[in-house]
Amino acid sequence: MRLTHRLIVLGWITLIPAAVLLAQPLPAPPEDAPPVVAAPVEPKIEDVLAKLEKITGLARKAPVASRKMNRDEIRAYVLERLREEFDAEDLDQEERIYRVLGLVPPQSDLRRTLVDMYTEQVGGFYDPKSKAYVIADWIDAGLQEPVMAHELVHALQDQYVPVEPVQERLRDNDDASRAYAALLEGSASLAMIAYMMNTPVEETTRLGDISWLMQMAMQQSQDQTPVFAAAPQFLKESMLFPYIRGSEFVRRLLETRKFNTLEQWLVSPPATTEQILNPEKYLAVPPEPALPVSWSVDELLTLGRSDGRSRQGGQMLLQQFLRTGLPKETAEAASAGWGGDSLQLLAAAEGQGGQVAWKIRWDTPAAAARFAAAVGQWPAGPDKPAVQVSTPAPDLTILRIGRSLR
């Protein structure tokens, strides 16, 4: 899913409680001590940058401008970025793919849902176009500092290796765009946690896997974020993937690296969500790339007329699809050994829903066989798309997905 990872780099208020929880292993005051309540003070950008330089080892290369926006202005900004990044036809095709896969409801309005979610969730953001940090004017002063710390890491990332040229280079590689977003958001999230703990970022490796804590914070904050709570699970997981799984990916890198080598990661970022889910594949020398996958003329003639460009689904999207019909553990095991893929929306016949063809190359024939066996357990029912699987080669599978296959 490309659109939720290229749009803007955000400070999501859903995840702020995780940083606050990690920063508060403090002893309780005596019971008879009077409560001490300090009024939150709006943070100053120069103070936050100075502390970030100390804990990250990254010195700023230029000043960072800042400004505030109200809710209407942020909504207008999100809409404008959507228009810039996606033509209407491409966004429509992406939404149709998710409908066929059963990831969003049949009558979903993806554009409106995304804009509503961003407007509700964003606490601030760094805009690489204007090189400015923007704070939402409705955010409580007590939450502004962690949001600012997160977003100013994005400013430092952009100063070392400009973000927009990389995003543009990855524009038509959906899976690589997701992986790049996970690097950006994961490193900013860990730096935010280190900022709140007042410790070098490398010290966050001692916390172990904190993804569970981020998931818990998300669950606890849903009462305050009704739009997010009501959104399809797929959209929630897709939006949180770069923060939650990205944080664990960067934490793994920091076990053997310093945070101030971030520039090297940005120059050669992870290329697939498989590398994010399995950091050892990125840490390998050289990193394990996605295997090339293309459609032959005969395959496309057999499947039917394509509708739109071929897309890279990736291991993350494959897991999300499999979890709509299979247990979580089965879905994760079935997607292990993913090597590369190509996903194609097929034109719908009159009066029928569309179909998706998904060609997947596996690292080994055993991985392909394990996947085919798992898909053989796919449940039948009116609320699930039908799935057909074929194996044209020992390390290849082709899925054909759609309700019209029944």
Side-chain angles (χ1 to χ4, degrees):
M1 182 179 183
R2 174 167 60 101
L3 58 92
T4 57
H5 302 313
R6 287 199 69 231
L7 191 57
I8 32 182
V9 282
L10 300 163
W12 276 44
I13 57 176
T14 293
L15 295 176
I16 297 302
V20 175
L21 284 172
L22 286 166
Q24 292 183 329
L26 303 176
E31 291 185 3
D32 58 347
V36 178
V37 180
V41 177
E42 189 168 316
K44 296 180 180 179
I45 193 168
E46 284 302 311
D47 294 340
V48 175
L49 270 172
K51 184 174 176 179
L52 280 175
E53 287 179 319
K54 182 179 179 180
I55 67 169
T56 65
L58 295 171
R60 79 194 88 172
K61 295 187 175 183
V64 181
S66 65
R67 64 180 186 275
K68 287 189 176 183
M69 281 188 182
N70 61 34
R71 205 176 290 273
D72 289 340
E73 290 172 325
I74 286 182
R75 186 178 184 86
Y77 175 87
V78 172
L79 281 167
E80 181 59 28
R81 290 303 299 267
L82 271 173
R83 294 189 192 99
E84 291 175 359
E85 301 294 351
F86 302 94
D87 60 57
E89 184 178 2
D90 193 58
L91 187 60
D92 175 68
Q93 289 168 359
E94 190 158 346
E95 183 169 22
R96 286 160 58 199
I97 288 172
Y98 301 147
R99 288 175 180 171
V100 171
L101 297 178
L103 296 171
V104 299
Q107 303 305 318
S108 61
D109 184 337
L110 192 57
R111 182 187 295 271
R112 179 172 181 175
T113 301
L114 289 172
V115 172
D116 288 347
M117 290 175 75
Y118 275 124
T119 305
E120 176 190 67
Q121 281 289 312
V122 65
F125 62 89
Y126 172 72
D127 178 19
K129 285 186 175 296
S130 63
K131 309 296 182 185
Y133 164 65
V134 177
I135 185 72
D137 70 355
W138 65 87
I139 298 301
D140 182 84
L143 294 179
Q144 287 183 18
E145 190 169 7
V147 171
M148 184 180 289
H150 182 108
E151 295 309 311
L152 290 179
V153 175
H154 289 317
L156 293 174
Q157 292 166 341
D158 193 42
Q159 289 183 5
Y160 278 79
V161 180
V163 169
E164 287 210 308
V166 180
Q167 290 180 326
E168 186 60 33
R169 174 169 59 83
L170 301 177
R171 185 182 184 91
D172 292 326
N173 188 326
D174 303 351
D175 195 43
S177 293
R178 300 181 195 110
Y180 179 60
L183 173 63
L184 295 179
E185 299 299 350
S187 52
S189 296
L190 275 191
M192 174 185 70
I193 290 170
Y195 181 96
M196 297 297 291
M197 296 176 68
N198 195 27
T199 187
V201 184
E202 293 82 6
E203 289 297 306
T204 59
T205 59
R206 298 170 60 186
L207 298 172
D209 185 351
I210 60 172
S211 59
W212 66 272
L213 181 63
M214 291 187 161
Q215 292 281 8
M216 182 180 71
M218 179 193 75
Q219 293 295 330
Q220 292 178 344
S221 65
Q222 289 198 50
D223 288 344
Q224 288 77 47
T225 54
V227 174
F228 183 83
Q233 185 66 22
F234 164 68
L235 292 183
K236 291 191 285 190
E237 290 180 358
S238 295
M239 285 187 159
L240 291 174
F241 175 84
Y243 300 86
I244 295 176
R245 297 309 299 252
S247 293
E248 176 58 13
F249 171 79
V250 174
R251 189 190 70 82
R252 288 282 303 278
L253 298 189
L254 290 176
E255 290 177 348
T256 56
R257 291 163 169 76
K258 292 288 188 180
F259 193 84
N260 62 9
T261 62
L262 177 67
E263 184 174 3
Q264 299 172 14
W265 314 343
L266 295 171
V267 169
S268 301
T272 64
T273 55
E274 182 193 37
Q275 292 179 350
I276 300 299
L277 294 168
N278 307 276
E280 66 277 4
K281 293 182 179 289
Y282 177 74
L283 292 169
V285 182
E288 186 174 313
L291 300 173
V293 179
S294 60
W295 296 92
S296 70
V297 174
D298 288 344
E299 286 172 336
L300 291 176
L301 288 174
T302 300
L303 291 168
R305 184 169 61 87
S306 61
D307 191 351
R309 65 180 176 88
S310 295
R311 300 168 186 264
Q312 298 73 34
Q315 187 176 1
M316 183 199 76
L317 185 65
L318 183 61
Q319 278 190 15
Q320 289 176 305
F321 166 66
L322 292 175
R323 287 205 306 270
T324 65
L326 300 172
K328 181 176 182 290
E329 296 77 12
T330 304
E332 291 180 354
S335 69
W338 175 97
D341 68 21
S342 180
L343 186 150
Q344 185 71 58
L345 179 66
L346 303 178
E350 187 173 353
Q352 295 182 338
Q355 296 179 15
V356 164
W358 202 336
K359 187 175 184 179
I360 307 167
R361 182 177 294 278
W362 300 92
D363 291 338
T364 64
R370 182 174 60 245
F371 174 78
V375 173
Q377 304 172 38
W378 191 262
D383 62 333
K384 304 289 183 190
V387 178
Q388 297 176 355
V389 59
S390 60
T391 307
D395 64 342
L396 279 174
T397 56
I398 295 178
L399 296 181
R400 189 164 183 167
I401 306 162
R403 296 177 188 273
S404 60
L405 291 171
R406 291 196 179 90

